[in-house]
């Protein structure tokens, strides 16, 4: 693992465990097992550290979603099942999701981070648009926004809200019902 990845991974863990206040250059050095000053040499300012962390977080989360795409095109096999698996992975490694929530809140106060956060969001919404277009959505842009919001709501409820973690079967049923409404009764696998 490269030093920048080790620093970003440590920052993700600190954000999940301690929140934004617990994220300092010194704390990252300690959590990553690096000599003092290493994080500062890599990311001079707090803004640079947040950007590095968000970039790594986006990279890690993109890997999860990449499984739904084959050769840059959506894999439509069992669409509700695939989406349920992605949600389950995000719920099981909620460290990343908590860190993303911390960064999202911070982005509301830092325009430079907001730009990066919004760009990262497009890297997830654009494939969702492609996926829903391929599945036959009549309004894939709107449906992609709704799909992302639905997934975010499930994750927030299970991780930070009052809900519990839904089972894979519960997630599959929820996705099937959501997609059935979006695709207006159009045929899809595993309905």
């Amino acid at each position: 693992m490269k030093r920048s990845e080790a620093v970003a991974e440590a920052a993700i863990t600190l954000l999940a465990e301690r929140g934004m206040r617990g994220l300092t250059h010194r704390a990252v050095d300690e959590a990553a097992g690096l000599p003092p000053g290493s994080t500062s040499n890599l990311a001079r300012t707090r803004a640079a550290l947040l950007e590095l962390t968000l970039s790594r977080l986006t990279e890690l989360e993109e890997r999860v979603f990449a499984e739904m795409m084959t050769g840059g095109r959506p894999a439509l096999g069992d669409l509700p099942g695939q989406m349920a698996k992605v949600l389950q992975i995000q719920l099981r490694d909620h460290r990343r999701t908590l860190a993303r929530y911390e960064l999202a809140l911070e982005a509301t106060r830092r325009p430079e981070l907001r730009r990066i956060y919004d760009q990262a969001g497009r890297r997830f919404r654009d494939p969702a648009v492609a996926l829903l277009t391929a599945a036959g959505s009549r309004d894939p842009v709107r449906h992609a926004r709704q799909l992302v919001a639905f997934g975010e709501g499930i994750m927030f409820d299970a991780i930070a809200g009052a809900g519990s973690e839904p089972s894979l079967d519960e997630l599959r049923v929820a996705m099937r019902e959501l997609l059935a409404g979006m695709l207006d009764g159009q045929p899809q696998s595993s309905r």
Side-chain angles (χ1 to χ4, degrees):
M1 181 181 294
K2 296 187 291 188
R3 182 169 285 203
S4 61
E5 292 173 349
V7 165
E9 290 283 342
I12 290 167
T13 299
L14 287 169
L15 284 170
E17 291 176 356
R18 301 179 190 174
M20 196 56 72
R21 287 186 176 179
L23 182 67
T24 65
H25 285 75
R26 180 177 291 158
V28 173
D29 286 341
E30 291 172 9
L34 296 171
S38 297
T39 299
S40 184
N41 285 335
L42 187 64
R44 204 71 167 140
T45 64
R46 182 169 182 78
L49 179 58
L50 293 174
E51 289 177 25
L52 175 73
T53 305
L54 182 55
S55 293
R56 177 67 176 164
L57 186 59
T58 301
E59 176 187 326
L60 293 170
E61 289 188 334
E62 274 184 319
R63 288 181 189 170
V64 174
F65 292 97
E67 293 176 14
M68 291 183 67
M69 305 293 274
T70 53
R73 297 182 50 106
L76 294 178
D78 174 15
L79 191 55
Q82 290 172 354
M83 291 181 163
K85 285 179 189 173
V86 167
L87 273 177
Q88 187 179 53
I89 290 167
Q90 293 294 97
L91 288 168
R92 295 260 164 93
D93 187 6
H94 65 268
R95 172 186 71 101
R96 287 192 315 237
T97 305
L98 283 173
R100 186 166 43 81
Y101 291 160
E102 289 286 340
L103 289 165
L105 291 172
E106 188 67 14
T108 66
R109 297 178 282 281
R110 291 178 176 257
E112 70 281 1
L113 188 60
R114 175 91 264 156
R115 281 190 300 280
I116 295 165
Y117 193 83
D118 289 346
Q119 289 170 355
R122 278 191 291 281
R123 289 163 64 177
F124 297 99
R125 281 191 174 83
D126 291 347
V129 170
L131 193 65
L132 290 167
T133 297
S137 168
R138 291 187 179 105
D139 192 349
V141 173
R142 181 172 57 86
H143 288 155
R145 278 195 315 268
Q146 292 171 343
L147 178 65
V148 170
F150 182 78
E152 288 291 342
I154 287 175
M155 288 188 295
F156 188 87
D157 185 55
I159 294 170
S164 59
E165 183 178 320
S167 70
L168 183 59
D169 285 337
E170 290 170 320
L171 291 170
R172 189 177 291 114
V173 167
M175 282 297 172
R176 187 177 311 121
E177 291 170 347
L178 178 69
L179 290 168
M182 288 179 174
L183 302 176
D184 200 26
Q186 298 170 41
Q188 63 177 6
S189 298
S190 297
R191 269 185 104 162

